[in-house]
Structure formats: structure tokens, C-alpha cells
Amino acid sequence: MRRSRWFTFRTRSLYLKNDSVCFPTLSFKDRVVAVALAQARNFGFDVVSCSSTGNLANAVAAQAARGGFKACVFIPADLEPAKVLGTQIYGARIIRIAGNYDHVNRLCSQIADKYRWGFVNVNLRPYYAEGSKTMGYEIAEQLGWRLPDNVVVPMAGGSLIGKIQKAFNELIELEFVEAKPVKFFGAQATGCSPISTAVKQGRSEIQPQKPATIARSLAIGNPADGFYAIKTMVGSGGWAEDASEQEIVDAIALLAETEGIFTETAGGVTVGCARKLYAEKRIRPEETTVLCITGNGLKTTDALAGRFELPEPIPPKLAAFEEYLEREVANVSAAGGQR
Ligand SMILES: *Cc1c(COP(=O)(O)O)cnc(C)c1O
């Protein structure tokens, strides 16, 4: 990052792994679904499915359409409208559940037992997990076949963070990169932080929470891989943080203003937590650090409601523009020259 109000030092060693532009549905979930659906075909599934906090539903719907599968996805009823529409447009069937993600996931486990459907995050989960590793491979490749000192990863079910570590370990074993210690830092929203809380309290077991956060893609109160995520962080000498609703929104704006990347709420969680980790000196400016930006801001515009005023329209006349300019200059000087 070049400049910011929060990172009060200059650093040339902070990198962004930008999955807000993943193909085809603008989140890191496109990676996991690519691998899971390849295997769904090998297994001969006609119907593919998932329980989802939104991004996974988008990825399953799009890639099922492309691959000739029928798609049926299960979501909590209160998901962001853009994520619902971004699933329906591909012709997928949506089943909205009156409950949170943990209720949806439990139901999907029961359905997967009974029907011959390929649930990408239930009976196809090992393949889904392999897909997450590609993010780790690309981080090493794009750093010039080097490993970073630190990685900051948003956590929902807690799978991605451990798979990036697995990817790095594989590259070390294959001698694609030199072995070195990498610290793993997990990021959650304060309103749903079962994994971060366990790390901060020194526990290795998750105490489930009831999610209440704008970071809906991370709103999993009882994370399936939480135990392993804790091991990855603590075992590597890393740590966990959580970001409040206001910190998430401010971090979304910070990333947009400094880097021109519009991320969703999960990206706000990552940047907001990274800022705290620097302030706590758990991450040092001279260390090579990668932030994982996992989703696109156009899917979670609801979180920014009320942040910006819509300017009054002016007539398409030069005189009107100059009048507007004068008014603005007057406003700025009235405010003491500050914006
Ligand atoms: C799914 C998801 C993650 C990480 O999820 P894990 O379950 O922890 O692997 C991170 N960011 C976004 C935007 C996601 O949709």
C-alpha cells in the first residue's frame, strides 16, 4: 500500500492477493468449486449443491451452468440481495432457509446422506479443500517463488488458512521455494469470531457463537475447520484478530482509496484486522506480508448504505457548473480548508 491514514509508516513489503476479481464470480470460491465440480463429474453426479453464505452459491451456480450440471443451493434467508441474484441468474434453484448458516449446513449434511447429490462442501469437501491450495501456490509464484513472512487470511469455516499453509509446505517439499517459517494470521468479524476468540483466550476448542455481522460471507458460528485453523495460527507463531462493523467499513474504504480495489465485507475484515496486527507489532513493517482479499465489493453494497451522500443533479450548462464550483469552494473554505 502506498499511503494511508492508518498505516502510519511506509512499507514496500505489503502485498495484496486480489481474489476480488476471480473468474467467473468474483470471489475465491471460484477456485474451490472448479476442483469440486471436476470431481463431481468423475463421480457421475447430475445435481450439484452446497450450503452457502453467498459466494459459494454464486460459484456453484455459474460453474454448474457451464458444466451442464443441475444446481440446487441452500442459503440463510437473510443473505445480501446481490448474492441471491448472482446465483439465480445462472438458473440455479435456491432454497432459502429460515435460520443461520449453521442451521443450513446441518440440514445439508442430512440431505447429502439421503440423496445422491454432490454437495461441494459436504461430500465433495476434500476436493473443495484442495482447490483452496491454489491460492497458496499463486502467492509463492507471484512473489517470485518465495514465501512471505506473514499471511493474513479471513476465516469463515476456517479451511482456507490451513490450505494455504499446506500449499506452502508442498512447495517446500518439491523444492520450488526455500523453506522458511511463515506466520499465519486469521481475521474475523467481531460479530462472529469463534476462531479468533479461541486464539485470544488460549483455547484449542471452538465455542460456537450466534453470528451478528455485516460480513455475512464469514458468518459461520460453528466453524468446521476451526480446530485446525487454531493449530495453523498458534503453531506458526501467528495470531488472530477481529474487526468491528465500523472498522470493516472503514477498511473497505481504505483499500479502495489507496489501492483502487473495491472488496466486499470479508476483505474489510482482512484489512481491518491487519491494521490492528501492525499496531500490536505482531506484524512488522519490514516483513513481507500478504493480505488475502477474497471477494468483490459490488456484492455487499448494502454494508455501505448511508456512507455517501448522493449529490444534487445540476443542469447541463457551463454556468450551472461554475455556480456549483463556487458553492463548493465556499463550502470548503467555510470548513477551514479541510475536506
Ligand atoms: C468462503 C470465504 C472465505 C474463507 O472461508 P473458509 O471457510 O474459512 O475457508 C473467505 N472470504 C470469502 C469472501 C469467502 O466467501
Side-chain angles (χ1 to χ4, degrees):
M1 291 192 188
R2 287 185 310 269
R3 84 183 150 82
S4 90
R5 282 161 276 150
W6 285 353
F7 295 91
T8 49
F9 48 85
R10 285 177 175 272
T11 171
R12 292 184 184 282
S13 53
L14 180 54
Y15 293 82
L16 304 164
K17 177 63 180 147
N18 183 14
D19 266 15
S20 72
V21 288
C22 250
F23 181 81
T25 64
L26 309 178
S27 91
F28 121 85
K29 291 299 195 302
D30 287 322
R31 299 173 180 277
V32 299
V33 171
V35 179
L37 291 203
Q39 194 58 30
R41 183 172 316 289
N42 288 343
F43 283 145
F45 287 115
D46 293 324
V47 180
V48 290
S49 186
C50 65
S51 52
S52 175
T53 55
N55 284 320
L56 187 62
N58 294 170
V60 166
Q63 296 188 41
R66 177 74 194 262
F69 294 98
K70 292 188 201 86
C72 180
V73 306
F74 296 78
I75 56 172
D78 69 347
L79 268 197
E80 298 97 333
K83 283 183 181 158
V84 178
L85 180 68
T87 301
Q88 290 175 313
I89 191 66
Y90 301 107
R93 179 177 292 270
I94 280 196
I95 299 173
R96 283 172 78 216
I97 305 298
N100 63 32
Y101 176 81
D102 299 292
H103 300 124
V104 178
N105 201 38
R106 199 170 319 135
L107 172 65
C108 285
S109 302
Q110 293 170 328
I111 297 170
D113 271 349
K114 193 158 173 192
Y115 296 84
R116 233 194 93 72
W117 288 6
F119 278 83
V120 301
N121 57 342
V122 183
N123 48 2
L124 293 168
R125 191 169 179 88
Y127 304 95
Y128 165 112
E130 290 300 289
S132 294
K133 291 193 314 195
T134 60
M135 196 157 183
Y137 297 149
E138 285 177 20
I139 288 171
E141 181 194 8
Q142 291 165 354
L143 286 172
W145 297 111
R146 277 186 308 134
L147 298 182
D149 296 307
N150 310 299
V151 190
V152 185
V153 188
M155 302 183 294
S159 171
L160 176 63
I161 191 166
K163 298 308 166 201
I164 293 176
Q165 186 183 45
K166 190 174 176 198
F168 288 173
N169 288 339
E170 288 176 1
L171 292 178
I172 291 170
E173 198 155 317
L174 292 167
E175 299 182 353
F176 275 59
V177 296
E178 250 172 66
K180 73 179 261 195
V182 180
K183 290 182 184 167
F184 287 83
F185 295 89
Q188 294 204 291
T190 307
C192 182
S193 51
I195 312 179
S196 297
T197 302
V199 168
K200 286 182 171 182
Q201 295 180 348
R203 285 187 282 108
S204 58
E205 302 291 338
I206 298 289
Q207 277 172 8
Q209 293 182 1
K210 222 170 140 196
T213 173
I214 52 172
R216 290 179 207 270
S217 55
L218 304 181
I220 298 183
N222 191 10
D225 292 307
F227 174 79
Y228 298 103
I230 295 168
K231 261 179 77 169
T232 295
M233 287 180 275
V234 175
S236 69
W239 193 244
E241 258 306 346
D242 54 86
S244 71
E245 307 290 276
Q246 189 60 50
E247 287 167 338
I248 294 169
V249 172
D250 290 344
I252 291 173
L254 173 68
L255 189 65
E257 289 171 12
T258 54
E259 288 299 320
I261 293 173
F262 184 17
T263 185
E264 70 150 86
T265 44
V269 168
T270 304
V271 174
C273 288
R275 180 213 150 206
K276 291 182 162 173
L277 291 163
Y278 276 98
E280 293 161 5
K281 299 197 166 33
R282 292 184 187 276
I283 295 180
R284 304 216 161 244
E286 66 276 10
E287 296 168 345
T288 299
T289 300
V290 176
L291 310 189
C292 296
I293 305 301
T294 48
N296 192 292
L298 291 173
K299 293 192 194 185
T300 62
T301 52
D302 341 29
L304 302 174
R307 188 172 175 99
F308 299 101
E309 288 172 24
L310 200 58
E312 281 303 312
I314 62 169
K317 300 276 189 229
L318 184 59
F321 168 70
E322 286 178 338
E323 217 171 89
Y324 160 85
L325 214 54
E326 243 167 64
R327 212 167 45 235
E328 285 297 303
V329 170
N331 282 347
V332 171
S333 27
Q338 288 186 339
R339 270 199 327 135

